[in-house]
Amino acid sequence: MSDVVNRAMSSAAAIEWARSIAPELTAGLALAHGDAKSVAAPWTGDTLHDLRHCTVQDVDAAESAARFAQREWSRTSFAERRSILLRAHSLLLERRRELIDLVQVETGKNRASAFEEVFAIAQAMRHTAVTVERVLSPRFRRSSVPGVVRAMVDHEPKGLVSVVTPWNYPVALAAMDVLPALAAGNAVLQKIDDQTVLSLMSLRRMLLDAGLPAALWQVVTGPGDPVGNAVVDAGDHVSFTGSTATGTRIAERLAPRLVSASLELGGKNPMIVLDDLDPDAAAALAFPACFGSAGQLCVSIERIYVLRPVAEAFIAAFAARIRSARIGPGLDYSIDMGSLTNRSQLDRVQAHVGDAITKGATVVAGGNARPDLGPYFHEPTLLTGVSPDMNCFAEETFGPVVAIHVVESVEEAIAAANDSQYGLNAAVLTGSVARGRAVARRIEAGSVNINDGYRASFASIGAPMGGWKRSGMGRRNGPEGILRFVESRTIANPTGILPLPVDGESAARMEPVYLAALRVLAALHFP
Ligand code: NAD
């Protein structure tokens, strides 16, 4: 494994720069009267800035301000909202370096993974801007006997959308929820993770500079209990991204109020490697699929099922690719994998690897923490011989650890891939897209990528993204990603072409007419 250590000076300069702009960025946060907490830069472990937490009273004040602003915002035209988003899109492309640098400094990830965030935000901004009116404009829908009743469906914003986001893709995941919520006419009350406040506030500043009223998007800080709970309690819809454990607690909390939620949760994502692809090509594709953002990615691949005829060659090629990976801090594209983001991430990765080794797994490549590079670095790690008694067999590691299992048939691979409580993302590597699609259609997951790990579906902005089973409910992106933030209303009136019965006599008179209409509709195969 080749290490890139000559970037230390520029990473130190980036940390210093982020420290210097922290006060102006955090000034945009909701007023906070709680304790202060120090936030560290993952590359060095040094303090980046001190962040004050909100109290529950601060959350209440932010909620009131957001609700007040939403009344006027809900009356703005789609054209007005569209032009703000399109202006923000231009600002994002202009100021992308600031955002990419901040994401790297706060998360420790490599530049290619940080660029994915900017790309995802840009597409979410433009797609939301140009589709929201089409998705939400009032439309006529058909009634049971066409012409007899005229039905129109329109939409109202939910009001206040509560958004809770994690630190791993702090701006992309936020944008995919916040932007459509705002474009649909809502205000947003967001609780962000302490670790990535600066990146998020940099994005928010672009929106404000593009004309978004500041009060409409309130950002609060603090722990899940009590601040996250207060944010969840405030919302008319809750959009949560994080672990399955927290998402489940939020769903339970919302049940008595019957408030809707979109929950984007954890995964244990499988990849199937078929026997019709060059092993070197497959290994090149598998590397970013498993180790993007150092594996701290909900859609990252953690289990690989490879067909026996290509298994030996694929494992050798993948191990070689891992051993040649450049890991370290740095602000350019020369680095293949960055740091883990915090101590508990490193602890979890080491615990999973240690447990697997103790119980008999083999480390084919990687396997070690790298304190020589920075406090939270860990090598990309490839394991074989992982069995159900090991923690990393079925539990999400959320780090750079992948287990390879050799299978005898495609059937066995599909069954193993589906044998999970999760169903977020999956991948198929193959020489034939048609064959890949046939396998994909049998996988129980919200997205399946052919010849890629996650970027193909992540970039499919018009298509829904979300999880089956315990990976979540609801979808982001596409029309589904906008419709979750509105209530629909059906407005219907009889046209008078055929009278609606008002008493027993008229019902008796109309019965043969309506029965005849049903027969005609059936004969015409009318939908
Ligand atoms: P986490 O659930 O611990 O925390 C996520 C966020 O929720 C944080 O901001 C946290 O402060 C907040 N929170 C905690 N308790 C809360 C409560 N009771 N009420 C409201 N908010 C609360 O998750 P994490 O460890 O920060 O993130 C990693 C997890 O997120 C992984 O499981 C990963 O797979 C998942 N994730 C999923 C997606 C997706 O789109 N499906 C994307 C990214 C991450």
Side-chain angles (χ1 to χ4, degrees):
M1 208 154 306
S2 67
D3 310 326
V4 179
V5 287
N6 60 346
R7 304 284 167 210
M9 273 310 289
S10 61
S11 355
I15 291 169
E16 197 46 52
W17 161 77
R19 203 176 273 140
S20 73
I21 64 167
E24 67 187 77
L25 288 174
T26 51
L29 289 164
L31 281 181
H33 296 92
D35 297 338
K37 196 194 149 203
S38 142
V39 179
W43 282 336
T44 60
D46 296 337
T47 297
L48 198 50
H49 63 112
D50 289 321
L51 180 70
R52 193 160 286 285
H53 281 172
C54 290
T55 60
V56 170
Q57 289 72 26
D58 293 328
V59 176
D60 290 346
E63 177 194 352
S64 302
R67 285 195 183 278
F68 188 76
Q70 193 264 339
R71 280 186 226 142
E72 196 172 328
W73 179 248
S74 67
R75 290 193 286 271
T76 55
S77 66
F78 284 118
E80 205 169 318
R81 297 177 208 164
R82 180 170 58 238
S83 62
I84 291 173
L85 286 176
L86 293 179
R87 272 198 298 277
H89 181 267
S90 303
L91 290 177
L92 172 69
L93 298 191
E94 252 170 53
R95 301 181 192 170
R96 67 192 182 282
R97 281 209 182 86
E98 169 179 306
L99 196 55
I100 295 174
D101 289 351
L102 282 172
V103 166
Q104 283 201 272
V105 167
E106 288 193 310
T107 64
K109 67 175 72 175
N110 64 326
R111 198 152 189 90
S113 300
F115 176 74
E116 283 175 11
E117 297 231 33
V118 167
F119 189 84
I121 299 165
Q123 57 171 6
M125 266 177 184
R126 259 189 60 75
H127 186 74
T128 304
V130 300
T131 60
V132 66
E133 182 168 8
R134 192 166 65 232
V135 174
L136 296 185
S137 288
R139 281 235 171 77
F140 286 103
R141 302 275 187 100
R142 65 152 298 209
S143 59
S144 42
V145 182
V148 174
V149 163
R150 198 159 161 76
M152 189 192 81
V153 176
D154 72 353
H155 301 95
E156 286 286 340
K158 294 258 182 181
L160 180 72
V161 172
S162 292
V163 175
V164 181
T165 44
W167 45 264
N168 68 322
Y169 270 69
V171 273
L173 298 172
M176 289 171 175
D177 290 345
V178 171
L179 301 179
L182 292 171
N186 300 283
V188 167
L189 175 63
Q190 183 180 5
K191 189 197 101 54
I192 43 173
D193 195 280
D194 288 350
Q195 185 63 40
T196 45
V197 165
L198 304 183
S199 309
L200 194 276
M201 295 311 282
S202 166
L203 174 64
R204 182 177 175 275
R205 185 161 71 176
M206 291 175 206
L207 266 294
L208 301 200
D209 290 349
L212 187 81
L216 207 58
W217 181 3
Q218 300 281 335
V219 183
V220 298
T221 54
D225 184 13
V227 173
N229 287 340
V231 168
V232 167
D233 290 344
D236 302 315
H237 174 91
V238 175
S239 186
F240 171 79
T241 308
S243 63
T244 295
T246 308
T248 306
R249 278 199 295 279
I250 287 176
E252 285 166 359
R253 196 170 178 94
L254 290 173
R257 286 202 299 132
L258 295 180
V259 161
S260 61
S262 30
L263 305 172
E264 305 285 344
L265 310 177
K268 185 75 185 176
N269 308 301
M271 170 182 273
I272 295 176
V273 181
L274 299 182
D275 52 5
D276 55 1
L277 184 66
D278 168 55
D280 289 325
L285 294 171
F287 187 88
C290 302
F291 305 122
S293 197
Q296 300 171 121
L297 174 58
C298 54
V299 287
S300 191
I301 299 298
E302 295 193 358
R303 310 179 274 151
I304 296 181
Y305 301 97
V306 57
L307 288 186
R308 182 161 307 275
V310 288
E312 198 180 325
F314 172 72
I315 292 171
F318 194 22
R321 173 67 190 94
I322 289 173
R323 286 190 203 104
S324 72
R326 290 154 301 180
I327 64 172
L331 287 149
D332 64 30
Y333 285 95
S334 67
I335 290 155
D336 293 321
M337 199 185 92
S339 173
L340 293 168
T341 300
N342 55 43
R343 166 67 51 195
S344 66
Q345 279 297 111
L346 179 63
D347 290 347
R348 185 174 173 86
V349 168
Q350 286 187 295
H352 270 202
V353 173
D355 170 75
I357 293 171
T358 309
K359 292 173 181 164
T362 302
V363 177
V364 183
N368 298 303
R370 292 296 302 269
D372 53 316
L373 299 175
Y376 312 134
F377 280 91
H378 193 282
E379 292 169 343
T381 297
L382 174 56
L383 302 174
T384 55
V386 168
S387 51
D389 58 323
M390 301 175 190
N391 292 334
C392 70
F393 181 84
E395 274 178 34
E396 182 182 38
T397 304
F398 209 57
V401 181
V402 61
I404 296 196
H405 307 268
V406 180
V407 289
E408 305 301 332
S409 66
V410 177
E411 288 304 314
E412 187 186 341
I414 293 171
N418 288 338
D419 184 16
S420 171
Q421 61 167 329
Y422 295 114
L424 187 59
N425 180 47
V428 184
L429 302 188
T430 171
S432 154
V433 172
R435 196 173 169 214
R437 199 167 278 146
V439 172
R441 295 196 65 187
R442 298 180 57 199
I443 304 281
E444 297 163 0
S447 53
V448 187
N449 291 268
I450 298 168
N451 293 337
D452 187 53
Y454 59 86
R455 291 165 303 184
S457 60
F458 206 60
S460 304
I461 188 70
M465 173 188 172
W468 290 23
K469 303 191 258 187
R470 292 190 61 74
S471 289
M473 59 189 215
R475 295 291 183 269
R476 50 166 55 117
N477 297 345
E480 295 89 341
I482 295 173
L483 287 166
R484 64 190 159 142
F485 297 126
V486 293
E487 293 286 5
S488 67
R489 176 172 41 215
T490 298
I491 301 170
N493 64 286
T495 58
I497 287 179
L498 286 179
L500 301 188
V502 290
D503 55 22
E505 266 179 31
S506 54
R509 237 185 356 262
M510 292 309 296
E511 186 196 284
V513 180
Y514 281 111
L515 278 177
L518 289 176
R519 287 195 182 100
V520 170
L521 290 173
L524 293 174
H525 300 291
F526 205 79

